Amino acid sequence: MEEEKTGIQELKEFAKKTKRNIDCDENAYVASGIRPRTLVKQHAIISNLAENEAYFVNYCDMAAIGDSAMYSGFFFPVEFPSSTLVKVRQKNILDKMKLFSKKSEFKTQSKEFDSKVIIEENDERASDKLFISQSLQSLILEIFKLDPRLKLCVNHIDTGIVPDLKNKSTLGIYITEQWLLDEQLTEKLYALVGKLKMKIQIGHEVHS
């Protein structure tokens, strides 16, 4: 019986098949505490600098907590202050029932977009700049349709494991608690995130 492939093995095959570069590592370490135990930290970063693609970052640290413990998605630098925090996710049934609605929820003035997402932010000026374009809003919704787990965040994940992203503000489209290993989904995300990256960069040049 053939052994099941690890996530890193699947991503290595994907990178080779699509002629992209991959940097990966996996280390076991002993966590301190009353009952020391062996934990694993691993990452796989796929890049294609020749095509100016976003970094496809997959990370897991069994000792970490929150979104940074395990995430998988696409990241690229953005011209926002490092203090800016933005999180956009799709509305779920609880949001639609308004069981956990927040009075301070950011609105874009687009009824269609606002009816489908929840936006949490600490920088209204940056958020206005990010969501000012209706075509960009439509693109975000198109990305979200691919997988209900996806979220868009600015500066919520420390992507310092990628040298080109270290100490920079980054925008990420990613999931947590699992890695993106479906090749068809990944290629669709590459295409749409590439369009998003271009629109944000062009928009920033226009407003700078």
Side-chain angles (χ1 to χ4, degrees):
M1 185 174 178
E2 188 177 349
E3 286 188 21
E4 187 174 346
K5 295 175 184 176
T6 67
I8 286 182
Q9 287 173 333
E10 290 193 46
L11 291 169
K12 280 182 176 179
E13 291 182 3
F14 171 75
K16 183 178 180 180
K17 187 186 303 182
T18 59
K19 297 181 180 179
R20 294 181 172 101
N21 300 314
I22 184 168
D23 168 60
C24 54
D25 193 22
E26 183 171 11
N27 290 304
Y29 63 96
V30 178
S32 59
I34 299 175
R35 295 181 179 177
R37 54 196 177 120
T38 300
L39 302 177
V40 174
K41 181 186 291 187
Q42 56 185 349
H43 73 255
I45 304 164
I46 297 178
S47 61
N48 187 349
L49 298 181
E51 297 296 329
N52 196 29
E53 290 181 334
Y55 287 91
F56 180 26
V57 184
N58 302 271
Y59 182 83
C60 176
D61 182 354
M62 294 173 66
I65 58 174
D67 284 3
S68 294
M70 187 174 191
Y71 63 88
S72 177
F74 296 82
F75 296 84
F76 57 88
V78 287
E79 296 293 328
F80 288 133
S82 60
S83 59
T84 296
L85 296 173
V86 182
K87 178 181 285 187
V88 189
R89 61 173 177 81
Q90 301 175 70
K91 280 188 176 179
N92 56 40
I93 191 168
L94 297 179
D95 296 312
K96 292 174 182 177
M97 293 170 65
K98 297 185 178 180
L99 294 181
F100 300 102
S101 61
K102 296 183 179 180
K103 291 182 180 179
S104 60
E105 183 183 316
F106 180 83
K107 298 293 184 183
T108 66
Q109 307 308 314
S110 167
K111 289 184 178 180
E112 180 183 4
F113 190 69
D114 292 339
S115 69
K116 294 179 179 179
V117 302
I118 295 289
I119 302 174
E120 300 172 25
E121 50 76 39
N122 71 346
D123 186 338
E124 190 168 332
R125 183 179 179 184
S127 298
D128 277 332
K129 187 183 296 185
L130 182 60
F131 301 113
I132 194 170
S133 164
Q134 288 190 345
S135 63
L136 192 143
Q137 293 175 8
S138 297
L139 187 53
I140 292 172
L141 294 179
E142 190 176 353
I143 290 170
F144 281 175
K145 282 181 182 178
L146 294 177
D147 192 315
R149 301 171 297 170
L150 289 166
K151 62 184 79 172
L152 180 154
C153 297
V154 175
N155 292 333
H156 275 268
I157 294 287
D158 180 1
T159 52
I161 58 170
V162 182
D164 284 349
L165 300 182
K166 193 170 185 178
N167 299 323
K168 293 180 181 179
S169 286
T170 57
L171 184 147
I173 302 281
Y174 62 93
I175 65 171
T176 57
E177 300 180 6
Q178 288 180 299
W179 283 4
L180 291 162
L181 298 175
D182 183 300
E183 292 186 7
Q184 288 188 334
L185 172 60
T186 301
E187 285 292 12
K188 288 177 182 177
L189 284 168
Y190 261 116
L192 292 179
V193 172
K195 291 180 181 179
L196 182 73
K197 182 172 181 278
M198 186 178 298
K199 281 183 178 291
I200 288 175
Q201 289 175 340
I202 292 173
H204 203 90
E205 289 172 4
V206 169
H207 295 96
S208 60

Short mmCIF file of all heavy atoms in Angstrom, two decimals, residues 81-130:
data_model
loop_
_atom_site.label_atom_id
_atom_site.label_comp_id
_atom_site.label_asym_id
_atom_site.label_seq_id
_atom_site.Cartn_x
_atom_site.Cartn_y
_atom_site.Cartn_z
N PRO A 81 1.11 51.55 6.38
CA PRO A 81 1.91 51.58 7.61
C PRO A 81 1.91 50.20 8.28
O PRO A 81 0.94 49.44 8.17
CB PRO A 81 1.18 52.61 8.48
CG PRO A 81 0.41 53.46 7.52
CD PRO A 81 0.02 52.56 6.39
N SER A 82 2.99 49.89 8.96
CA SER A 82 3.08 48.59 9.62
C SER A 82 2.05 48.44 10.74
O SER A 82 1.72 47.32 11.14
CB SER A 82 4.49 48.40 10.20
OG SER A 82 4.78 49.43 11.14
N SER A 83 1.53 49.56 11.22
CA SER A 83 0.52 49.52 12.28
C SER A 83 -0.89 49.22 11.76
O SER A 83 -1.79 48.91 12.53
CB SER A 83 0.49 50.86 13.02
OG SER A 83 0.20 51.92 12.13
N THR A 84 -1.07 49.31 10.44
CA THR A 84 -2.39 49.08 9.85
C THR A 84 -2.78 47.61 9.95
O THR A 84 -2.01 46.73 9.57
CB THR A 84 -2.41 49.52 8.37
OG1 THR A 84 -2.19 50.92 8.30
CG2 THR A 84 -3.75 49.20 7.72
N LEU A 85 -3.99 47.36 10.43
CA LEU A 85 -4.54 46.01 10.51
C LEU A 85 -5.90 45.98 9.84
O LEU A 85 -6.77 46.78 10.16
CB LEU A 85 -4.68 45.56 11.97
CG LEU A 85 -3.40 45.43 12.80
CD1 LEU A 85 -3.75 45.15 14.26
CD2 LEU A 85 -2.52 44.31 12.25
N VAL A 86 -6.06 45.08 8.89
CA VAL A 86 -7.33 44.90 8.19
C VAL A 86 -7.61 43.41 8.08
O VAL A 86 -6.71 42.63 7.75
CB VAL A 86 -7.31 45.53 6.77
CG1 VAL A 86 -8.67 45.36 6.11
CG2 VAL A 86 -6.92 46.99 6.83
N LYS A 87 -8.84 43.02 8.37
CA LYS A 87 -9.25 41.62 8.18
C LYS A 87 -10.62 41.60 7.50
O LYS A 87 -11.56 42.23 7.96
CB LYS A 87 -9.32 40.87 9.50
CG LYS A 87 -9.79 39.42 9.35
CD LYS A 87 -9.88 38.69 10.69
CE LYS A 87 -8.53 38.32 11.20
NZ LYS A 87 -8.61 37.44 12.42
N VAL A 88 -10.69 40.88 6.38
CA VAL A 88 -11.94 40.75 5.63
C VAL A 88 -12.26 39.27 5.50
O VAL A 88 -11.42 38.48 5.08
CB VAL A 88 -11.83 41.35 4.21
CG1 VAL A 88 -13.20 41.39 3.54
CG2 VAL A 88 -11.22 42.74 4.26
N ARG A 89 -13.46 38.90 5.86
CA ARG A 89 -13.90 37.52 5.70
C ARG A 89 -15.33 37.51 5.19
O ARG A 89 -16.05 38.52 5.25
CB ARG A 89 -13.81 36.76 7.02
CG ARG A 89 -14.67 37.33 8.13
CD ARG A 89 -14.68 36.43 9.36
NE ARG A 89 -15.44 37.01 10.45
CZ ARG A 89 -16.76 36.97 10.56
NH1 ARG A 89 -17.49 36.37 9.62
NH2 ARG A 89 -17.38 37.53 11.59
N GLN A 90 -15.74 36.38 4.68
CA GLN A 90 -17.10 36.23 4.19
C GLN A 90 -18.08 36.15 5.35
O GLN A 90 -17.78 35.56 6.39
CB GLN A 90 -17.21 34.98 3.34
CG GLN A 90 -16.28 34.99 2.14
CD GLN A 90 -16.33 33.70 1.37
OE1 GLN A 90 -17.33 33.40 0.73
NE2 GLN A 90 -15.26 32.92 1.43
N LYS A 91 -19.24 36.74 5.17
CA LYS A 91 -20.28 36.64 6.18
C LYS A 91 -20.78 35.20 6.26
O LYS A 91 -20.93 34.53 5.24
CB LYS A 91 -21.44 37.57 5.86
CG LYS A 91 -21.19 39.02 6.24
CD LYS A 91 -22.43 39.87 6.08
CE LYS A 91 -22.19 41.29 6.57
NZ LYS A 91 -23.37 42.15 6.40
N ASN A 92 -21.03 34.75 7.47
CA ASN A 92 -21.61 33.43 7.65
C ASN A 92 -23.04 33.57 8.18
O ASN A 92 -23.54 34.69 8.36
CB ASN A 92 -20.75 32.57 8.58
CG ASN A 92 -20.52 33.24 9.93
OD1 ASN A 92 -21.43 33.86 10.50
ND2 ASN A 92 -19.30 33.14 10.45
N ILE A 93 -23.67 32.46 8.46
CA ILE A 93 -25.08 32.50 8.86
C ILE A 93 -25.29 33.25 10.17
O ILE A 93 -26.29 33.93 10.37
CB ILE A 93 -25.67 31.06 8.96
CG1 ILE A 93 -27.18 31.12 9.12
CG2 ILE A 93 -24.99 30.27 10.08
CD1 ILE A 93 -27.86 29.79 8.94
N LEU A 94 -24.29 33.18 11.07
CA LEU A 94 -24.41 33.90 12.35
C LEU A 94 -24.35 35.40 12.14
O LEU A 94 -25.05 36.16 12.80
CB LEU A 94 -23.31 33.44 13.31
CG LEU A 94 -23.36 31.97 13.73
CD1 LEU A 94 -22.19 31.66 14.66
CD2 LEU A 94 -24.68 31.64 14.41
N ASP A 95 -23.49 35.82 11.19
CA ASP A 95 -23.42 37.25 10.87
C ASP A 95 -24.74 37.73 10.28
O ASP A 95 -25.23 38.81 10.62
CB ASP A 95 -22.29 37.52 9.86
CG ASP A 95 -20.93 37.18 10.41
OD1 ASP A 95 -20.63 37.60 11.53
OD2 ASP A 95 -20.16 36.50 9.71
N LYS A 96 -25.30 36.90 9.39
CA LYS A 96 -26.54 37.29 8.73
C LYS A 96 -27.71 37.34 9.71
O LYS A 96 -28.66 38.09 9.52
CB LYS A 96 -26.84 36.32 7.58
CG LYS A 96 -25.84 36.45 6.44
CD LYS A 96 -26.02 35.41 5.37
CE LYS A 96 -24.96 35.57 4.28
NZ LYS A 96 -25.07 34.53 3.25
N MET A 97 -27.62 36.54 10.77
CA MET A 97 -28.64 36.58 11.83
C MET A 97 -28.35 37.69 12.82
O MET A 97 -29.13 37.95 13.74
CB MET A 97 -28.68 35.24 12.56
CG MET A 97 -29.19 34.09 11.69
SD MET A 97 -28.96 32.47 12.49
CE MET A 97 -30.05 32.65 13.91
N LYS A 98 -27.19 38.35 12.64
CA LYS A 98 -26.76 39.48 13.46
C LYS A 98 -26.60 39.10 14.94
O LYS A 98 -26.83 39.93 15.83
CB LYS A 98 -27.72 40.67 13.31
CG LYS A 98 -27.76 41.21 11.90
CD LYS A 98 -28.60 42.46 11.80
CE LYS A 98 -28.58 43.01 10.38
NZ LYS A 98 -29.41 44.23 10.23
N LEU A 99 -26.18 37.85 15.17
CA LEU A 99 -25.99 37.41 16.54
C LEU A 99 -24.71 37.99 17.14
O LEU A 99 -24.60 38.18 18.35
CB LEU A 99 -25.93 35.88 16.61
CG LEU A 99 -27.22 35.15 16.23
CD1 LEU A 99 -27.03 33.64 16.34
CD2 LEU A 99 -28.37 35.59 17.13
N PHE A 100 -23.72 38.24 16.28
CA PHE A 100 -22.45 38.77 16.77
C PHE A 100 -22.04 40.02 16.00
O PHE A 100 -20.87 40.25 15.76
CB PHE A 100 -21.35 37.70 16.65
CG PHE A 100 -21.64 36.45 17.42
CD1 PHE A 100 -22.10 35.31 16.76
CD2 PHE A 100 -21.50 36.42 18.79
CE1 PHE A 100 -22.38 34.16 17.48
CE2 PHE A 100 -21.77 35.27 19.51
CZ PHE A 100 -22.22 34.13 18.85
N SER A 101 -22.99 40.81 15.60
CA SER A 101 -22.67 42.00 14.81
C SER A 101 -21.98 43.04 15.68
O SER A 101 -22.22 43.14 16.88
CB SER A 101 -23.95 42.61 14.21
OG SER A 101 -24.82 43.00 15.24
N LYS A 102 -21.09 43.80 15.05
CA LYS A 102 -20.35 44.84 15.75
C LYS A 102 -20.77 46.20 15.21
O LYS A 102 -20.81 46.42 14.02
CB LYS A 102 -18.84 44.64 15.54
CG LYS A 102 -18.31 43.35 16.15
CD LYS A 102 -16.80 43.27 15.95
CE LYS A 102 -16.25 41.99 16.57
NZ LYS A 102 -14.79 41.89 16.40
N LYS A 103 -21.06 47.12 16.12
CA LYS A 103 -21.48 48.46 15.71
C LYS A 103 -20.37 49.18 14.95
O LYS A 103 -20.64 50.04 14.13
CB LYS A 103 -21.91 49.27 16.94
CG LYS A 103 -23.20 48.75 17.59
CD LYS A 103 -23.60 49.62 18.77
CE LYS A 103 -24.88 49.10 19.41
NZ LYS A 103 -25.27 49.92 20.59
N SER A 104 -19.12 48.84 15.26
CA SER A 104 -17.98 49.55 14.65
C SER A 104 -17.55 48.95 13.32
O SER A 104 -16.52 49.31 12.79
CB SER A 104 -16.79 49.52 15.62
OG SER A 104 -16.42 48.19 15.90
N GLU A 105 -18.32 48.02 12.79
CA GLU A 105 -17.96 47.35 11.54
C GLU A 105 -17.78 48.36 10.41
O GLU A 105 -18.62 49.23 10.18
CB GLU A 105 -19.08 46.36 11.20
CG GLU A 105 -18.84 45.52 9.97
CD GLU A 105 -20.07 44.65 9.71
OE1 GLU A 105 -20.61 44.08 10.66
OE2 GLU A 105 -20.47 44.57 8.54
N PHE A 106 -16.67 48.23 9.70
CA PHE A 106 -16.34 49.17 8.62
C PHE A 106 -17.25 48.93 7.41
O PHE A 106 -17.53 47.79 7.05
CB PHE A 106 -14.89 48.99 8.20
CG PHE A 106 -14.45 49.89 7.10
CD1 PHE A 106 -14.04 51.19 7.35
CD2 PHE A 106 -14.44 49.44 5.78
CE1 PHE A 106 -13.62 52.03 6.32
CE2 PHE A 106 -14.03 50.27 4.75
CZ PHE A 106 -13.62 51.56 5.02
N LYS A 107 -17.71 50.01 6.78
CA LYS A 107 -18.55 49.92 5.59
C LYS A 107 -17.88 50.64 4.42
O LYS A 107 -17.24 51.67 4.60
CB LYS A 107 -19.93 50.55 5.85
CG LYS A 107 -20.75 49.86 6.94
CD LYS A 107 -21.17 48.47 6.53
CE LYS A 107 -22.05 47.83 7.59
NZ LYS A 107 -22.41 46.44 7.24
N THR A 108 -18.07 50.08 3.22
CA THR A 108 -17.44 50.66 2.03
C THR A 108 -18.38 51.54 1.23
O THR A 108 -17.99 52.12 0.23
CB THR A 108 -16.95 49.54 1.09
OG1 THR A 108 -18.09 48.82 0.58
CG2 THR A 108 -16.03 48.58 1.82
N GLN A 109 -19.63 51.59 1.60
CA GLN A 109 -20.68 52.29 0.87
C GLN A 109 -21.17 51.51 -0.36
O GLN A 109 -21.98 52.02 -1.13
CB GLN A 109 -20.24 53.71 0.44
CG GLN A 109 -19.71 54.57 1.58
CD GLN A 109 -20.65 54.64 2.77
OE1 GLN A 109 -21.84 54.86 2.60
NE2 GLN A 109 -20.12 54.44 3.97
N SER A 110 -20.65 50.31 -0.55
CA SER A 110 -21.15 49.43 -1.61
C SER A 110 -22.06 48.40 -0.95
O SER A 110 -21.59 47.52 -0.22
CB SER A 110 -20.00 48.72 -2.33
OG SER A 110 -20.50 47.66 -3.14
N LYS A 111 -23.36 48.49 -1.19
CA LYS A 111 -24.31 47.61 -0.52
C LYS A 111 -24.04 46.14 -0.84
O LYS A 111 -24.14 45.29 0.04
CB LYS A 111 -25.74 47.99 -0.92
CG LYS A 111 -26.22 49.30 -0.32
CD LYS A 111 -27.67 49.57 -0.67
CE LYS A 111 -28.14 50.87 -0.03
NZ LYS A 111 -29.57 51.16 -0.37
N GLU A 112 -23.69 45.85 -2.10
CA GLU A 112 -23.45 44.46 -2.48
C GLU A 112 -22.24 43.90 -1.73
O GLU A 112 -22.30 42.80 -1.17
CB GLU A 112 -23.21 44.34 -3.99
CG GLU A 112 -22.97 42.90 -4.42
CD GLU A 112 -22.67 42.76 -5.90
OE1 GLU A 112 -22.57 43.78 -6.59
OE2 GLU A 112 -22.51 41.61 -6.34
N PHE A 113 -21.14 44.65 -1.73
CA PHE A 113 -19.92 44.18 -1.07
C PHE A 113 -20.14 44.08 0.45
O PHE A 113 -19.80 43.06 1.07
CB PHE A 113 -18.77 45.14 -1.38
CG PHE A 113 -17.41 44.64 -0.94
CD1 PHE A 113 -16.83 43.55 -1.58
CD2 PHE A 113 -16.73 45.26 0.09
CE1 PHE A 113 -15.57 43.09 -1.20
CE2 PHE A 113 -15.47 44.81 0.48
CZ PHE A 113 -14.90 43.72 -0.16
N ASP A 114 -20.72 45.10 1.03
CA ASP A 114 -20.92 45.13 2.48
C ASP A 114 -21.88 44.04 2.95
O ASP A 114 -21.81 43.59 4.09
CB ASP A 114 -21.45 46.50 2.92
CG ASP A 114 -20.42 47.61 2.76
OD1 ASP A 114 -19.22 47.29 2.70
OD2 ASP A 114 -20.82 48.78 2.69
N SER A 115 -22.78 43.61 2.06
CA SER A 115 -23.75 42.58 2.44
C SER A 115 -23.12 41.19 2.48
O SER A 115 -23.70 40.25 3.03
CB SER A 115 -24.94 42.57 1.47
OG SER A 115 -24.54 42.10 0.18
N LYS A 116 -21.91 41.06 1.89
CA LYS A 116 -21.30 39.73 1.76
C LYS A 116 -20.05 39.53 2.62
O LYS A 116 -19.58 38.40 2.76
CB LYS A 116 -20.96 39.47 0.29
CG LYS A 116 -22.20 39.36 -0.59
CD LYS A 116 -21.84 39.12 -2.04
CE LYS A 116 -23.10 39.01 -2.90
NZ LYS A 116 -22.80 38.79 -4.32
N VAL A 117 -19.52 40.62 3.18
CA VAL A 117 -18.28 40.49 3.95
C VAL A 117 -18.36 41.22 5.28
O VAL A 117 -19.19 42.11 5.48
CB VAL A 117 -17.06 41.03 3.15
CG1 VAL A 117 -16.89 40.30 1.83
CG2 VAL A 117 -17.17 42.53 2.94
N ILE A 118 -17.47 40.82 6.18
CA ILE A 118 -17.25 41.53 7.44
C ILE A 118 -15.84 42.12 7.37
O ILE A 118 -14.88 41.41 7.06
CB ILE A 118 -17.33 40.59 8.65
CG1 ILE A 118 -18.75 40.04 8.80
CG2 ILE A 118 -16.87 41.29 9.92
CD1 ILE A 118 -19.76 41.05 9.27
N ILE A 119 -15.72 43.40 7.64
CA ILE A 119 -14.42 44.07 7.61
C ILE A 119 -14.10 44.61 9.00
O ILE A 119 -14.87 45.38 9.57
CB ILE A 119 -14.40 45.24 6.60
CG1 ILE A 119 -14.75 44.75 5.19
CG2 ILE A 119 -13.02 45.92 6.60
CD1 ILE A 119 -14.89 45.86 4.18
N GLU A 120 -12.96 44.18 9.53
CA GLU A 120 -12.46 44.71 10.80
C GLU A 120 -11.16 45.45 10.50
O GLU A 120 -10.30 44.92 9.79
CB GLU A 120 -12.20 43.56 11.78
CG GLU A 120 -13.44 42.74 12.11
CD GLU A 120 -13.12 41.51 12.93
OE1 GLU A 120 -12.09 41.53 13.65
OE2 GLU A 120 -13.87 40.53 12.85
N GLU A 121 -11.02 46.66 11.04
CA GLU A 121 -9.82 47.45 10.73
C GLU A 121 -9.53 48.43 11.85
O GLU A 121 -10.38 48.71 12.68
CB GLU A 121 -10.01 48.19 9.40
CG GLU A 121 -11.30 48.97 9.26
CD GLU A 121 -11.30 50.28 10.02
OE1 GLU A 121 -10.25 50.95 10.03
OE2 GLU A 121 -12.35 50.63 10.59
N ASN A 122 -8.30 48.93 11.84
CA ASN A 122 -7.91 49.96 12.81
C ASN A 122 -7.40 51.22 12.11
O ASN A 122 -6.82 52.09 12.76
CB ASN A 122 -6.83 49.42 13.76
CG ASN A 122 -5.48 49.23 13.07
OD1 ASN A 122 -5.40 49.25 11.84
ND2 ASN A 122 -4.42 49.04 13.85
N ASP A 123 -7.60 51.27 10.79
CA ASP A 123 -7.08 52.38 9.99
C ASP A 123 -8.07 52.68 8.88
O ASP A 123 -8.01 52.11 7.80
CB ASP A 123 -5.71 52.00 9.42
CG ASP A 123 -5.02 53.15 8.69
OD1 ASP A 123 -5.72 54.08 8.26
OD2 ASP A 123 -3.79 53.10 8.53
N GLU A 124 -9.01 53.59 9.17
CA GLU A 124 -10.09 53.86 8.22
C GLU A 124 -9.56 54.45 6.91
O GLU A 124 -10.07 54.12 5.83
CB GLU A 124 -11.09 54.83 8.85
CG GLU A 124 -12.37 54.97 8.04
CD GLU A 124 -13.45 55.70 8.81
OE1 GLU A 124 -13.46 55.63 10.05
OE2 GLU A 124 -14.29 56.34 8.15
N ARG A 125 -8.52 55.25 6.99
CA ARG A 125 -7.97 55.86 5.77
C ARG A 125 -7.40 54.79 4.84
O ARG A 125 -7.65 54.80 3.63
CB ARG A 125 -6.89 56.88 6.15
CG ARG A 125 -6.31 57.60 4.96
CD ARG A 125 -5.27 58.62 5.41
NE ARG A 125 -4.68 59.31 4.27
CZ ARG A 125 -3.70 60.20 4.39
NH1 ARG A 125 -3.21 60.51 5.58
NH2 ARG A 125 -3.20 60.77 3.31
N ALA A 126 -6.62 53.86 5.41
CA ALA A 126 -6.04 52.79 4.60
C ALA A 126 -7.13 51.88 4.05
O ALA A 126 -7.07 51.44 2.90
CB ALA A 126 -5.05 51.97 5.44
N SER A 127 -8.16 51.62 4.85
CA SER A 127 -9.26 50.75 4.40
C SER A 127 -10.04 51.41 3.27
O SER A 127 -10.42 50.75 2.31
CB SER A 127 -10.19 50.43 5.58
OG SER A 127 -9.49 49.73 6.58
N ASP A 128 -10.27 52.72 3.38
CA ASP A 128 -10.93 53.44 2.29
C ASP A 128 -10.14 53.31 1.00
O ASP A 128 -10.70 53.07 -0.08
CB ASP A 128 -11.07 54.93 2.65
CG ASP A 128 -12.28 55.21 3.53
OD1 ASP A 128 -13.26 54.45 3.45
OD2 ASP A 128 -12.23 56.17 4.31
N LYS A 129 -8.82 53.45 1.11
CA LYS A 129 -7.96 53.37 -0.07
C LYS A 129 -7.97 51.95 -0.66
O LYS A 129 -7.97 51.77 -1.88
CB LYS A 129 -6.52 53.76 0.32
CG LYS A 129 -5.57 53.88 -0.84
CD LYS A 129 -4.16 54.21 -0.36
CE LYS A 129 -4.07 55.54 0.32
NZ LYS A 129 -2.67 55.89 0.68
N LEU A 130 -8.02 50.95 0.23
CA LEU A 130 -7.98 49.55 -0.22
C LEU A 130 -9.25 49.15 -0.93
O LEU A 130 -9.22 48.41 -1.93
CB LEU A 130 -7.73 48.64 0.98
CG LEU A 130 -7.61 47.14 0.71
CD1 LEU A 130 -6.45 46.84 -0.25
CD2 LEU A 130 -7.41 46.38 2.03
#
